[in-house]
Amino acid sequence: MFTDLDYELEEDKLGIPTVPGTVTLKKDGQNLIGISIGGGAQYCPCLYIVQVFDNTPAAVDGTLAAGDEITGVNGKPVKGRTKVEVAKMIQAVKVKGRGRRRRTDGSLCVCLSLCVLDSLCVSVALMSLLSSLQGEVNIHYNKLQADPKQGKSLDIVLKKVKHRLVENMSSGTADALGLSRAILCNVTVDVFVADGLVKRLEELEKTAELYKGLMEHTKRLLRAFFELSQTHRAFGDVFSVIGVREPQAGASAAFVQFAEAHRNIEKYGIRLLKTVKPMLHDLNTYLHKAIPDTKLTIRKYLDVKFEYLSYCLKVKEMDDEEYSCIALGEPMYRVSTGNYEYRLILRCRQEARARFANMRKDVLEKIELLDQKHVQDIVFQLQRFVSGMSHYYDQCYAVLKEADVFPIEVDLSRTMSNYGVSRDPYTEEEEEEEEEEGEGGGGEGNGAQADGGREENGAEKLVDDE
């Protein structure tokens, strides 16, 4: 682009150091090492790695990274070449010399003829043939010693904010706000995330609501059983008092037995509460610890995801800018001086993608473990609840079956005298004398007589109810 100029622009490294090196990579079955190349003649003075693809020889080796400059292939310099020419230089290395292939084939035939009965020698010969057919290429490079913090500019931060805003917007709203490019980048780069993980998040929210409902229902159930247990205890106390004051031995034993049955039911209810109450602790742990921890991990994942998408959008904008300048035939300073700013963004994008992939894996594993715990926990809690309730009702049925004491025969005349003052039944003359004394007495006498009357009426009512 600058061939008409009388001077040559120097590389503007932006203060980023580079370290030279060489790496030997074995090609895969498709004759590739797994990198894409950018730059080169006639617009950029150097060639650099744009992307290292996953599960390729370059990715497995881990030496080369996005943004690194390629200086040579198999000892041949690539300065002044185009990226297409460099790609052909890498692909041209198919085997370790064509003249050597015939000699290898001949040695294999000799080995097979001499060792046809020796299977071990045949295996060794085949392995040597395969290794000779597998191409290797030496890549000479300048490693870009870039700090990711240099690439995290204000523009990247604003793009993260844009992606957060677009995340829950409809396409129409985003288009109206001029954010359609962010949506396009989000769909093309991260469409595989939007389908699976968003659905998992919705299921997680539903699970949280389910556990909230279970906790509220369990609390109400515990409260109701506690009140029921208190009622049984009150019944046991009342019947115990009746049994103690009952002068007839048979009726007294019946009331005491019935009272003891209610007290046992109260004990069974307390045991049920102790059995069911740990459900609250387990549900609370899942709801307020496990789920929030997973949501925190998801928030971190979303932050890494938006950062990765921001770098993708930045790369796309820089590519568009470069293509526009090429179409207009205008020079671009950053491209003509080594394109180090673009290479820095490529490196940041690669590292952000690696963090994104790791965080996505962690999130999916955590949600999977949470789902498994949810299923196991629900089954365990329901089994505990059903078992406790069944045991409680069996015990109540058994104790009430043993306390089948009704009907109870009671002599009301003797019972009423026993519930009054502890002396012989009243006569009419004594009752008249007491009334006269009560009329002449003070307030204390009237109060005592009123309390005695209430006690008699209460006892009479209890007996009448029975």
Side-chain angles (χ1 to χ4, degrees):
M1 180 178 290
F2 294 95
T3 55
D4 297 336
L5 299 178
D6 296 333
Y7 58 90
E8 183 177 351
L9 295 176
E10 295 182 358
E11 289 187 357
D12 185 4
K13 295 186 176 182
L14 304 176
I16 304 174
T18 57
V19 178
T22 303
V23 61
T24 301
L25 299 175
K26 291 184 179 181
K27 294 187 178 183
D28 58 10
Q30 299 178 352
N31 196 32
L32 300 173
I33 61 174
I35 62 173
S36 61
I37 305 173
Q42 58 183 344
Y43 305 106
C44 186
C46 60
L47 293 106
Y48 48 84
I49 298 174
V50 175
Q51 186 176 355
V52 179
F53 298 101
D54 296 333
N55 302 320
T56 60
V60 173
D61 181 80
T63 303
L64 299 178
D68 291 344
E69 180 185 0
I70 298 177
T71 59
V73 177
N74 287 334
K76 298 179 181 179
V78 297
K79 188 78 172 178
R81 296 179 181 270
T82 65
K83 55 187 177 184
V84 176
E85 291 175 346
V86 175
K88 289 181 178 179
M89 290 174 64
I90 296 175
Q91 291 177 349
V93 184
K94 295 183 179 180
V95 292
K96 297 180 180 179
R98 295 189 178 274
R100 196 179 303 171
R101 178 184 297 178
R102 293 181 180 179
R103 186 164 58 252
T104 304
D105 294 344
S107 63
L108 175 60
C109 294
V110 172
C111 182
L112 288 173
S113 61
L114 294 176
C115 306
V116 67
L117 299 178
D118 193 345
S119 60
L120 180 60
C121 292
V122 174
S123 300
V124 172
L126 289 174
M127 290 176 63
S128 63
L129 175 61
L130 291 175
S131 63
S132 65
L133 293 176
Q134 186 175 14
E136 291 183 354
V137 59
N138 295 322
I139 303 294
H140 308 278
Y141 61 89
N142 284 331
K143 171 67 70 173
L144 192 70
Q145 303 293 318
D147 185 3
K149 294 181 180 179
Q150 290 181 262
K152 195 172 184 179
S153 60
L154 178 61
D155 188 27
I156 297 298
V157 175
L158 294 177
K159 282 179 170 55
K160 286 178 65 175
V161 175
K162 181 192 293 187
H163 281 293
R164 288 184 183 275
L165 293 175
V166 173
E167 181 74 10
N168 297 318
M169 279 187 187
S170 63
S171 58
T173 305
D175 289 336
L177 295 175
L179 302 176
S180 56
R181 169 175 283 188
I183 287 182
L184 176 62
C185 187
N186 202 334
V187 171
T188 55
V189 176
D190 206 31
V191 65
F192 60 93
V193 179
D195 294 335
L197 193 56
V198 171
K199 186 177 180 181
R200 292 289 187 92
L201 289 176
E202 294 175 355
E203 293 176 355
L204 186 62
E205 293 294 336
K206 292 180 181 179
T207 303
E209 292 297 325
L210 172 64
Y211 271 73
K212 287 180 182 178
L214 285 176
M215 283 191 64
E216 292 298 325
H217 182 72
T218 305
K219 288 179 181 178
R220 290 194 296 267
L221 183 66
L222 291 176
R223 197 174 297 114
F225 263 97
F226 178 75
E227 294 174 357
L228 181 62
S229 299
Q230 297 302 308
T231 303
H232 284 140
R233 186 178 69 177
F235 268 111
D237 294 341
V238 170
F239 282 111
S240 178
V241 171
I242 295 175
V244 170
R245 294 186 176 183
E246 176 60 44
Q248 301 180 56
S252 175
F255 282 122
V256 169
Q257 184 180 0
F258 198 65
E260 189 64 24
H262 279 79
R263 287 176 175 173
N264 288 332
I265 292 176
E266 186 257 344
K267 293 178 182 178
Y268 301 151
I270 297 299
R271 291 178 188 173
L272 176 63
L273 292 178
K274 291 180 179 179
T275 303
V276 178
K277 191 174 181 180
M279 289 178 59
L280 282 178
H281 180 268
D282 294 341
L283 295 175
N284 185 70
T285 301
Y286 184 88
L287 182 61
H288 295 101
K289 290 185 180 180
I291 292 180
D293 180 66
T294 304
K295 288 183 177 179
L296 178 61
T297 305
I298 292 173
R299 282 195 292 269
K300 293 179 180 179
Y301 158 78
L302 291 176
D303 184 73
V304 174
K305 167 190 170 183
F306 294 138
E307 183 175 350
Y308 168 56
L309 293 177
S310 300
Y311 283 118
C312 291
L313 185 56
K314 180 66 175 177
V315 169
K316 189 176 187 307
E317 290 178 352
M318 297 179 78
D319 286 338
D320 292 344
E321 183 183 15
E322 185 176 344
Y323 296 150
S324 299
C325 291
I326 292 174
L328 296 174
E330 296 180 355
M332 178 173 283
Y333 176 80
R334 67 171 173 83
V335 176
S336 302
T337 56
N339 215 357
Y340 278 85
E341 182 184 357
Y342 180 72
R343 289 160 60 184
L344 175 63
I345 297 300
L346 290 177
R347 174 65 61 82
C348 293
R349 183 184 69 170
Q350 176 179 315
E351 295 183 359
R353 187 178 188 278
R355 292 195 301 270
F356 163 72
N358 292 333
M359 286 296 297
R360 173 176 166 77
K361 181 180 178 182
D362 292 342
V363 168
L364 292 177
E365 288 179 354
K366 243 177 190 179
I367 292 180
E368 187 69 27
L369 292 175
L370 203 64
D371 289 342
Q372 293 178 3
K373 178 175 173 57
H374 158 63
V375 174
Q376 296 173 358
D377 194 53
I378 285 292
V379 172
F380 173 73
Q381 300 299 345
L382 290 177
Q383 287 178 345
R384 174 193 288 179
F385 175 74
V386 171
S387 176
M389 291 293 295
S390 176
H391 192 55
Y392 170 75
Y393 284 119
D394 290 342
Q395 288 178 323
C396 292
Y397 176 78
V399 75
L400 288 177
K401 187 175 182 181
E402 292 178 0
D404 187 11
V405 295
F406 295 97
I408 302 175
E409 296 182 0
V410 179
D411 187 351
L412 295 182
S413 61
R414 295 179 60 187
T415 302
M416 289 180 64
S417 65
N418 196 56
Y419 275 91
V421 293
S422 52
R423 60 186 181 89
D424 295 336
Y426 293 125
T427 61
E428 293 182 1
E429 295 178 357
E430 290 175 347
E431 188 173 355
E432 290 176 359
E433 290 178 359
E434 279 196 1
E435 289 178 357
E436 292 176 359
E437 290 177 0
E439 291 175 358
E444 293 182 0
N446 291 333
Q449 186 176 359
D451 291 340
R454 285 195 209 99
E455 191 174 353
E456 291 176 3
N457 291 334
E460 199 173 57
K461 184 179 179 183
L462 287 172
V463 175
D464 289 341
D465 289 342
E466 291 298 321

